[in-house]
């Protein structure tokens, strides 16, 4: 029993000096400490502080999102071209950050309507050569049947609640490695956000942020109308010429001024 005091070692902290039978050795200053003072912060390790001063690491510059209470940051600036506010990728679209310069989609100009009417009239002349347009009830029924199959293999963001999901068979741009792919999105997403998601999943070139480049757009599978990037998917379901949950949509590169994709039937042949 007389040899017991020789067992263990005393803590190096002057105010402690506790005898510890399982002492800890600091890998920075090599001093001995008890369990309470074993961390570098607990015993104010001088060697650790010196090493930190020598390293002098500079954190990379980050760009915080200015939308309400959002705490997201980006390594590159993401600026709204309309209000010039700095945002994160999640809130970069006008509707997502409540842009004060956002203008709701307006009714198409008369000139644009006339152009669409001319295209529609030209299609009537080739009705015998091409497949007849499906009626609204038939299209809706076909979409319901397709939806049941689509849910088993569709790709998308799995964090989207089941009650918000909308499924489409997306026909990809001409020249793509594959013809189409089933996907699901949120009914609360804008068309612009949906286009970005499709491009990400399918590895498509997306130059929508370059003014002079052709834009990647989503189009109606029967009329060929180009959907406004500001519209929500939920509104497309209620439009005069609606899209259906489980139905088809077409993705293609178009010029800025284009409002309608011609020969849209060819994508589904």
């Amino acid at each position: 029993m007389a040899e017991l005091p020789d067992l263990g070692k005393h803590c190096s902290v002057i105010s402690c000096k506790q005898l510890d039978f399982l002492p800890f050795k600091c890998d920075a200053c090599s001093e001995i400490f008890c369990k309470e003072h074993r961390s570098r912060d607990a015993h104010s390790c001088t060697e650790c502080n010196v090493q930190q001063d020598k390293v002098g690491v500079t954190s990379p510059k980050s760009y915080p999102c200015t939308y309400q209470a959002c705490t997201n940051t980006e390594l590159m600036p993401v600026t709204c071209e309309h209000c010039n506010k700095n945002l994160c990728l999640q809130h970069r679209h006008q509707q997502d950050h409540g842009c004060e310069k956002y203008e709701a989609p307006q009714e198409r100009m008369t000139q644009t309507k006339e152009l669409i009417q001319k295209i529609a009239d030209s299609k009537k002349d080739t009705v015998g050569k091409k497949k007849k347009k499906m009626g609204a009830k038939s299209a809706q029924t076909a979409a319901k049947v397709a939806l049941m199959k689509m849910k088993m293999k569709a790709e998308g963001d799995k964090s989207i609640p089941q009650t918000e999901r909308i499924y489409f068979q997306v026909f990809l741009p001409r020249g793509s490695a594959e013809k189409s792919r089933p996907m699901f999105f949120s009914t609360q997403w804008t068309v612009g956000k949906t286009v970005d998601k499709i491009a990400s999943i399918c590895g498509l070139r997306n130059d929508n942020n370059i003014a002079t480049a052709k834009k990647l757009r989503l189009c109606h599978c029967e009329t060929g109308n180009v959907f406004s990037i500001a519209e929500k998917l939920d509104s497309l379901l209620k439009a005069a010429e609606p899209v259906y949950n489980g139905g088809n949509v077409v993705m293609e590169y178009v010029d800025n001024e284009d409002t309608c994709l011609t020969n849209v039937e060819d994508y589904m042949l």
Side-chain angles (χ1 to χ4, degrees):
M1 295 297 290
E3 296 180 359
L4 286 178
D6 295 331
L7 297 176
K9 292 186 179 181
H10 290 276
C11 179
S12 296
V13 176
I14 298 175
S15 60
C16 179
K17 292 295 183 182
Q18 179 182 340
L19 179 64
D20 198 315
F21 294 105
L22 294 172
F24 298 87
K25 183 178 180 180
C26 177
D27 59 0
C29 63
S30 301
E31 295 290 339
I32 302 299
F33 299 97
C34 62
K35 181 178 180 180
E36 183 180 351
H37 296 111
R38 63 178 176 173
S39 69
R40 295 179 181 179
D41 290 338
H43 67 263
S44 301
C45 183
T46 55
E47 290 297 321
C48 179
N49 293 335
V50 169
Q51 291 173 8
Q52 288 179 350
D53 292 339
K54 288 181 179 179
V55 172
V57 177
T58 303
S59 299
K61 186 175 181 181
S62 61
Y63 298 84
C65 179
T66 59
Y67 177 66
Q68 295 183 1
C70 180
T71 58
N72 294 338
T73 59
E74 303 294 341
L75 294 178
M76 296 292 289
V78 180
T79 308
C80 175
E81 62 182 2
H82 303 282
C83 64
N84 294 321
K85 289 183 179 179
N86 200 77
L87 305 155
C88 62
L89 291 175
Q90 181 181 352
H91 297 117
R92 70 187 186 279
H93 296 293
Q94 280 187 284
Q95 281 187 310
D96 292 337
H97 67 265
C99 182
E100 62 261 20
K101 295 188 178 181
Y102 169 71
E103 295 181 3
Q106 298 178 354
E107 187 176 357
R108 289 186 173 91
M109 296 182 298
T110 305
Q111 203 172 25
T112 305
K113 284 185 175 181
E114 290 176 356
L115 176 61
I116 294 174
Q117 187 60 48
K118 286 180 181 179
I119 295 171
D121 291 341
S122 67
K123 288 182 179 180
K124 290 178 182 177
D125 297 335
T126 57
V127 119
K129 297 179 181 179
K130 295 188 177 180
K131 187 177 178 181
K132 189 178 179 181
K133 182 178 176 181
M134 190 180 293
K137 288 186 178 180
S138 298
Q140 190 172 13
T141 303
K144 286 181 179 179
V145 174
L147 178 61
M148 291 186 286
K149 298 178 181 179
M150 206 176 293
K151 285 184 176 180
M152 295 186 289
K153 52 184 179 180
E155 298 175 73
D157 187 345
K158 294 183 180 179
S159 64
I160 300 173
Q162 291 286 346
T163 53
E164 282 186 17
R165 294 185 182 184
I166 181 172
Y167 293 77
F168 293 135
Q169 185 72 28
V170 182
F171 287 82
L172 304 178
R174 291 187 175 96
S176 299
E178 52 187 332
K179 183 177 180 180
S180 67
R181 188 181 291 190
M183 302 181 199
F184 65 87
F185 315 94
S186 170
T187 54
Q188 301 307 306
W189 285 8
T190 61
V191 171
K193 186 173 183 179
T194 304
V195 168
D196 289 346
K197 188 65 176 178
I198 295 171
S200 176
I201 292 176
C202 300
L204 300 176
R205 186 185 79 256
N206 188 356
D207 295 333
N208 285 358
N209 60 338
I210 300 176
T212 57
K214 283 197 171 186
K215 302 300 186 287
L216 196 56
R217 292 290 186 255
L218 204 61
C219 310
H220 196 286
C221 68
E222 292 184 355
T223 65
N225 289 344
V226 177
F227 299 129
S228 167
I229 60 172
E231 286 189 86
K232 283 191 174 182
L233 297 185
D234 184 53
S235 68
L236 300 183
L237 298 172
K238 305 169 186 175
E241 293 179 331
V243 295
Y244 300 102
N245 190 9
N248 302 327
V249 289
V250 177
M251 177 82 85
E252 188 53 272
Y253 296 97
V254 299
D255 293 323
N256 284 332
E257 63 273 17
D258 288 346
T259 58
C260 188
L261 184 65
T262 58
N263 300 323
V264 70
E265 306 92 346
D266 295 344
Y267 289 82
M268 284 152 280
L269 293 178

